[in-house]
Amino acid sequence: MSARRIAVLAATTAAIALPVVSAPAATAAPAHATSASTMAKASDPCDREGPWKIHASAVNLHSKASSHSTVLGVMYKSHKFKVHSSTSRGSGWVHVTDKTTHVTGWASMKYVYPTVYTCLP
């Protein structure tokens, strides 16, 4: 390696390490400080679930919470719908009634899910 490359590498390493070395040490929070879990409340506009929406042009409504079950109908993005229940986020199905066609069935949460609001610190 040439002397010039070594000098550039050393300067870069020093520039990156300097902020880490000069950063102030962390201090413990006072006993009266509130934790993040107590700060996040149901009324907090940052941590809330918004309305359910269809995030595709159309979604199949199935008789069971399975893609291998019978398709009962199609729910389009413009349709209003009511959510009855949902399975765990892992399996990802939501039980809905399409208010336009009055068909009740299961839709995949790949395409139908609530809007989630999160604020950055």
Side-chain angles (χ1 to χ4, degrees), residues 41-119:
K41 297 178 183 170
S43 63
D44 187 357
C46 293
D47 298 319
R48 64 184 170 98
E49 215 174 67
W52 288 75
K53 293 191 177 188
I54 301 171
H55 297 275
S57 57
V59 177
N60 288 332
L61 294 179
H62 295 266
S63 60
K64 297 178 185 175
S66 167
S67 59
H68 301 292
S69 64
T70 305
V71 174
L72 303 173
V74 177
M75 185 169 61
Y76 294 94
K77 187 172 191 156
S78 61
H79 290 190
K80 304 284 185 203
F81 59 96
K82 179 181 178 182
V83 176
H84 301 289
S85 64
S86 63
T87 61
S88 65
R89 299 260 186 221
S91 53
W93 289 89
V94 60
H95 192 229
V96 299
T97 297
D98 185 337
K99 291 184 177 182
T100 304
T101 61
H102 305 289
V103 174
T104 299
W106 291 90
S108 173
M109 288 181 73
K110 291 179 184 175
Y111 312 109
V112 179
Y113 49 88
T115 304
V116 179
Y117 298 92
T118 304
C119 295

Side-chain angles (χ1 to χ4, degrees), residues 18-30:
L18 183 61
V20 174
V21 172
S22 63
T27 58

